[in-house]
Amino acid sequence: MARRTIHKYSYCRGHLSPISRKKSSSSTSLSHRNYSLYVNRVLKEVVPQRGMSSRTLDFMNTLINDIFDRIAKEAHHLMHFRKRCTLTPEDIQKAVYMLLPESLAKYAVTFGSEAVHRFVRS
């Protein structure tokens, strides 16, 4: 019996799609995204008289990127487990519940859903 192997393609509902695409030189990698501006804005809203050192901002940026990557990978696994081609909000919510502690996951999902709802309304 012959084995069917697909090396560079992913199978999704009868369609073959390339796993890796050629990246343009201007595209930014997810690991290089910088959230320090947003962290500073939130800090100034919460505690206006406080600031953060650049080393602390670098650490926070690394932490945010790491959590984002973990959630994205887990949601991707859930999507493939359900044999679907589209990443749904439910996949992301389940990934958050699987990765974060219970109370933190509850707040993250609540605030995330609220932010998406506000974005859709505007």
Side-chain angles (χ1 to χ4, degrees):
M1 180 179 236
R3 272 192 195 165
R4 196 174 131 205
T5 59
I6 300 173
H7 294 286
K8 293 186 179 182
Y9 293 92
S10 171
Y11 185 76
C12 189
R13 289 197 190 174
H15 301 286
L16 290 177
S17 61
I19 290 175
S20 62
R21 293 192 170 106
K22 188 175 181 182
K23 293 181 182 177
S24 66
S25 60
S26 64
S27 68
T28 59
S29 173
L30 289 178
S31 63
H32 296 293
R33 296 228 173 161
N34 194 352
Y35 297 101
S36 59
L37 177 68
Y38 309 109
V39 171
N40 264 332
R41 284 183 186 170
V42 170
L43 180 65
K44 289 297 177 188
E45 283 182 19
V46 176
V47 188
Q49 65 271 19
R50 292 287 178 170
M52 262 193 205
S53 68
S54 62
R55 189 171 177 187
T56 306
L57 282 174
D58 287 343
F59 177 77
M60 290 294 293
N61 194 47
T62 304
L63 180 71
I64 292 168
N65 280 317
D66 182 50
I67 291 174
F68 179 81
D69 286 341
R70 288 181 187 196
I71 291 171
K73 285 177 186 173
E74 190 62 40
H76 181 259
H77 290 303
L78 289 170
M79 180 186 74
H80 278 289
F81 179 74
R82 298 167 112 197
K83 296 180 181 170
R84 301 209 174 174
C85 296
T86 307
L87 187 65
T88 62
E90 290 80 22
D91 294 329
I92 297 170
Q93 288 177 1
K94 286 180 182 178
V96 168
Y97 277 116
M98 290 172 72
L99 293 172
L100 298 179
E102 186 179 352
S103 59
L104 185 59
K106 184 178 176 182
Y107 282 113
V109 168
T110 301
F111 286 123
S113 299
E114 206 174 284
V116 169
H117 185 65
R118 272 192 311 236
F119 178 76
V120 169
R121 272 192 305 177
S122 63

